[in-house]
Amino acid sequence: MTARVNSAEGGTNGVTVTTANSGGASGDAWDSMYVPSGQSITFASAAAQKGTLGYRMVYGSASGVGANVRWTLTGWPQLRARWYMRFSAYPTGMASFCYVTNAGNADAIAWLRMDASGKFIVQGDWNDVDLFRSAAAIPLNTWIRVELAMVPGTTISNGVIKFAYATADAAPTETYSNTSANLDVYGNLGRLYVGKVDGPWNATVDFDDLAADDADVATFIGASSAGPVIVDPTPAPVPP
């Protein structure tokens, strides 16, 4: 199994995050980042979900791709990922906070989005089709745990995508499972993006404790322990 974690604990409060300073005691450094003019990603004690530091992303008013971090998933046949986010505002239209690309990074094959009413949305390769929409708006200024598990398909109708969200370390508020999703047919995965990856979204978003691995997607990674980025030994079950 291949696994990566990042807790932000190796940073310094108020310092701008770079690929060079995001590793060390934080865990696995970001392989790449994108921070356009007028936006920022900093280490922040006020953004710590656990431990003493987290990442504070300040999105700009411009629509489109904004501040985000990326991990390369080269050779990964599947993905489980877990992280925590806290949103200060909803987007003013459909916007994305995560996507996963194919092995050549030419196509995003899975999207996690939020609409202007604050509902989470899961989309596959054809990102205008909602696979899942949360029943209620996500509470603002509240830590939300996001869980994603996925396996690219060998056809356009047998991809696996599973999603759950919860308030901090509580049991999942909602879960979703689809074993016949269109995630296109690309083989292994390419890259995981988290942050403002498209849409009109002027907000401050705190982000902490990202863990990812290529283990069996029968379970989610689950909540981290009392310290930063420790994979729960008894992860939450994924619905079949």
Side-chain angles (χ1 to χ4, degrees):
M1 181 184 76
T2 302
R4 308 186 80 175
V5 296
N6 192 293
S7 67
E9 293 299 299
T12 301
N13 184 49
V15 170
T16 297
V17 178
T18 66
T19 54
N21 69 11
S22 63
S26 297
D28 295 284
W30 311 122
D31 292 311
S32 60
M33 300 172 55
Y34 179 69
V35 184
S37 177
Q39 302 187 38
S40 62
I41 305 177
T42 56
F43 294 102
S45 56
Q49 198 277 330
K50 294 198 177 93
T52 60
L53 289 166
Y55 294 104
R56 175 151 288 178
M57 297 180 171
V58 178
Y59 299 165
S61 58
S63 183
V65 180
N68 67 81
V69 298
R70 301 108 179 246
W71 267 342
T72 298
L73 306 176
T74 301
W76 289 36
Q78 56 200 22
L79 168 70
R80 300 189 311 166
R82 188 279 336 277
W83 66 94
Y84 297 81
M85 299 185 91
R86 182 171 61 186
F87 307 95
S88 71
Y90 300 139
T92 54
M94 186 74 75
S96 302
F97 62 92
C98 170
Y99 65 71
V100 181
T101 61
N102 68 317
N105 298 312
D107 191 14
I109 61 173
W111 300 73
L112 301 182
R113 314 187 84 181
M114 184 184 286
D115 67 13
S117 69
K119 293 183 177 181
F120 278 154
I121 295 164
V122 177
Q123 297 181 336
D125 182 61
W126 295 98
N127 66 2
D128 58 344
V129 176
D130 295 354
L131 300 175
F132 166 83
R133 184 181 292 259
S134 61
I138 307 308
L140 296 174
N141 302 307
T142 301
W143 280 108
I144 303 296
R145 186 176 86 251
V146 177
E147 302 265 8
L148 174 66
M150 60 177 293
V151 184
T154 56
T155 73
I156 61 170
S157 61
N158 70 354
V160 175
I161 187 164
K162 302 181 179 185
F163 173 75
Y165 70 94
T167 301
D169 292 337
T173 303
E174 290 186 89
T175 61
Y176 168 76
S177 177
N178 187 333
T179 59
S180 58
N182 180 5
L183 306 183
D184 220 317
V185 185
Y186 286 116
N188 290 340
L189 300 170
R191 190 176 291 152
L192 170 68
Y193 296 68
V194 178
K196 183 181 179 182
V197 292
D198 80 354
W201 202 345
N202 190 0
T204 297
V205 176
D206 294 331
F207 165 62
D208 203 4
D209 282 5
L210 176 59
D213 64 31
D214 63 352
D216 193 299
V217 299
T219 57
F220 290 122
I221 288 177
S224 61
S225 72
V229 193
I230 303 297
V231 174
D232 190 332
T234 57
V238 174

